[in-house]
Amino acid sequence: MSREQQAVARARKAFETGRSKSVEYRISQLKNLQRLFTERQKEIAAAIKKDLNKTEAGTQFYEILSLEGELSLFIKNLKEWAAPQHVKKNLLTLSDTVYIHPEPLGVVLIIGAWNYPWAVTIRPLIGAIAAGNAAVVKPSEVCVHTSKVMEDLLPIYIDKELYPVVTGGVPETQELLRQKFDHIFYTGNSMVGKVIMEAAAKHLTPVTLELGGKSPCYIDKNCDISTACRRITWGKYSNCGQTCIAPDYILCEPSIQDRVIQEVKKCIKEFYTDSPKTCPDYGRIINQRHFKRVMAMLEDSTIAVGGDNDESDCYIAPTVLRDVKPEAKVMQEEIFGPLLPVLPVSGLDEAIKFINKGEKPLALYVFSHDNKVIERIRDETSSGGFLANDCLVHYSVSALPFGGVGNSGIGCYHGKFSFERLSHRRGCLIKKLNMEGVNDMRYPPHTLKKLGWARFFILNTADLGWVGQMALLAVLAVVAAVVIQVSCGGMGRSVCVCVCV
């Protein structure tokens, strides 16, 4: 039995003990994760510094802060979310107990990404733990140092049988995908997403795919261009452009292209100094393979700002490209690096048309003072998330679902959406063995009179308080008894209705 098979088998065996079904146990595991991020900040930050050249403050800001907020939210609300949720009833089920019972799916596979290795791996894990699942955690092998720290630290703080960590590369991931899971949660690119989905289909395993795409950014010529470019610069070049919801390219009218480029250039200098390479807040491309991929995108475009690079250091300066054509190499795939193409368009109509020609993106950005412009782009396009006059910040709002649509992903998470995504919402109806006469309308022989009364009882809902429901139940039971006796009397059948409230 392979190491991956053993990890899955242990997780399944641990899940079958039932200990993860206890809400108190789930909360204790979430609190242990809180302790991990309090006590091990130095180790976490040191590994990310080696992998992505992030500062300790940058790691806290972009990785840990969101996890701390998510953990606090789950610990505070989990008992309420996990409780049975009573629903509206029709008149036929008025005396029954009808509710949704959230229950664990089973064993979940979480395959993380390398660009924000803690945030995008642990956030799904929080949802899996909270929903009562076991989870096999597969951190990205591309973040070598962070993957090792995750492998070392998680078993110290949370149940190592329920939540094993499996490290390794493509062969190990492929072996995991051969196993049967109850859900697979993957963060990464659409090409691998298709592989994940194909493997999951063999077991009819549901998936959540958090992918990406080319997230457009339209700048209205009448907006505050200086502020817009400041926010775009931050959103684009954070983490050296390696953010799945980073603005991928700018659409604007030719009359403001030069102004946009100058404003972005000014903000690059403000954020990262005249020498971004020596600025501690400016990151690096994850490895040389990705460095070469990003650099190849520059071949047929005009550099307006930046362009400096150093392969030995995986450094590419914050770069702006001007007068970019739709057929340019940089426009054929998600950039995932510090290149910002500017595409001139004649106006809003052409921008919307251009956006809709491509795959649906993970995020879509518009900068404008005009609500009509904002609403047109929102209503005439489709994307995972939509932001007006800012970038990235929707990721921080746990009350918003985060996820893609079409080629940018399947399913959403964050906050309660994570809990619901990784739970089975089991519909439950508990009926007593009395009042059988009321059910006579559903039994053969079927008549038009029975159909009429069935329509009345089934299609009308009872939105009353407890006292009102009891009073209405008594009245309806008596009415039903009379009606059914009358409707069935001509057939020589006797009906006994027992009213028991």
Side-chain angles (χ1 to χ4, degrees), residues 16-134:
E16 289 171 353
T17 67
R19 64 179 180 265
S20 66
K21 292 187 177 182
S22 163
V23 174
E24 288 72 21
Y25 188 79
R26 303 179 205 177
I27 291 174
S28 72
Q29 296 298 297
L30 297 175
K31 288 182 176 178
N32 288 342
L33 276 179
Q34 275 187 323
R35 286 198 304 110
L36 186 158
F37 294 117
T38 300
E39 298 172 359
R40 303 292 187 146
Q41 290 182 10
K42 296 292 184 183
E43 293 100 316
I44 292 170
I48 291 182
K49 175 68 176 177
K50 293 176 183 177
D51 288 324
L52 288 158
N53 197 43
K54 287 182 187 173
T55 63
E56 184 173 347
T59 297
Q60 289 291 318
F61 192 85
Y62 291 105
E63 297 266 1
I64 307 305
L65 189 59
S66 65
L67 295 177
E68 290 175 338
E70 192 87 338
L71 284 163
S72 296
L73 179 73
F74 272 81
I75 291 167
K76 179 181 178 181
N77 293 288
L78 184 55
K79 287 184 178 179
E80 177 188 341
W81 295 347
Q85 301 160 25
H86 291 273
V87 299
K88 287 184 178 181
K89 298 179 277 190
N90 57 32
L91 298 182
L92 188 65
T93 58
L94 189 61
S95 65
D96 305 330
T97 303
V98 185
Y99 58 91
I100 297 167
H101 179 67
E103 65 178 20
L105 296 174
V107 181
V108 176
L109 172 61
I110 298 170
I111 303 176
W114 54 262
N115 57 331
Y116 295 91
W118 283 92
V120 301
T121 306
I122 301 303
R123 205 154 184 170
L125 177 61
I126 293 170
I129 292 172
N133 300 294

Side-chain angles (χ1 to χ4, degrees), residues 131-426:
N133 300 294
V136 177
V137 180
K138 171 60 179 68
S140 172
E141 72 280 5
V142 178
C143 260
V144 179
H145 303 92
T146 298
S147 177
K148 182 66 171 66
V149 169
M150 207 175 287
E151 181 185 27
D152 292 342
L153 294 186
L154 282 179
I156 297 174
Y157 285 86
I158 58 177
D159 191 323
K160 62 184 179 181
E161 294 177 337
L162 273 170
Y163 318 114
V165 179
V166 176
T167 57
V170 173
E172 289 78 12
T173 303
Q174 289 175 334
E175 179 63 21
L176 281 172
L177 290 173
R178 293 187 189 101
Q179 314 310 310
K180 179 176 173 56
F181 290 94
D182 300 290
H183 195 97
I184 298 176
F185 197 114
Y186 167 75
T187 303
N189 63 62
S190 58
M191 182 178 67
V192 177
K194 293 175 183 177
V195 175
I196 301 290
M197 199 168 181
E198 183 179 359
K202 294 176 182 178
H203 299 289
L204 290 179
T205 300
V207 297
T208 300
L209 303 178
E210 295 296 334
L211 308 176
K214 297 185 75 64
S215 296
C217 181
Y218 176 71
I219 303 178
D220 183 9
K221 65 181 178 181
N222 296 317
C223 80
D224 181 341
I225 293 176
S226 178
T227 299
C229 290
R230 183 178 175 85
R231 295 176 185 180
I232 293 166
T233 302
W234 169 73
K236 179 63 182 183
Y237 299 112
S238 293
N239 201 30
C240 203
Q242 298 166 120
T243 304
C244 60
I245 51 174
D248 193 88
Y249 60 90
I250 289 175
L251 297 170
C252 67
E253 293 186 28
S255 62
I256 65 168
Q257 180 180 208
D258 288 341
R259 171 84 188 280
V260 166
I261 291 171
Q262 288 306 310
E263 291 292 343
V264 172
K265 181 179 181 181
K266 184 169 70 175
C267 292
I268 290 171
K269 181 178 180 180
E270 177 189 349
F271 295 165
Y272 304 115
T273 75
D274 285 322
S275 177
K277 188 175 184 181
T278 60
C279 177
D281 286 314
Y282 188 69
R284 295 293 184 271
I285 300 298
I286 184 66
N287 56 32
Q288 290 190 343
R289 180 173 71 85
H290 281 280
F291 174 91
K292 292 175 181 177
R293 179 189 63 81
V294 174
M295 288 301 299
M297 294 181 181
L298 290 170
E299 291 178 6
D300 55 355
S301 293
T302 302
I303 296 174
V305 178
D308 299 337
N309 63 89
D310 180 352
E311 183 174 350
S312 65
D313 192 28
C314 289
Y315 167 76
I316 301 175
T319 300
V320 183
L321 309 176
R322 66 172 300 125
D323 296 310
V324 175
K325 306 295 184 184
E327 59 273 16
K329 287 186 178 181
V330 75
M331 294 304 297
Q332 304 314 305
E333 63 177 87
E334 182 179 5
I335 297 169
F336 224 65
L339 313 182
L340 182 57
V342 181
L343 281 75
V345 291
S346 60
L348 181 59
D349 289 340
E350 187 181 350
I352 291 173
K353 186 177 180 180
F354 183 83
I355 291 167
N356 288 334
K357 278 184 178 178
E359 298 283 1
K360 295 178 181 179
L362 186 55
L364 197 161
Y365 304 108
V366 53
F367 287 82
S368 178
H369 291 308
D370 189 341
N371 285 334
K372 291 182 179 179
V373 170
I374 294 170
E375 289 168 2
R376 271 201 65 193
I377 292 187
R378 182 198 64 196
D379 295 343
E380 296 180 27
T381 63
S382 179
S383 62
F386 175 80
L387 273 73
N389 299 319
D390 211 343
C391 297
L392 311 189
V393 293
H394 63 304
Y395 183 88
S396 68
V397 183
S398 291
L400 285 175
F402 182 86
V405 58
N407 208 60
S408 60
I410 297 172
C412 62
Y413 73 127
H414 286 195
K416 191 177 181 182
F417 300 101
S418 298
F419 176 82
E420 293 181 342
R421 185 69 182 171
L422 296 172
S423 296
H424 169 55
R425 291 168 59 81
R426 192 179 192 181

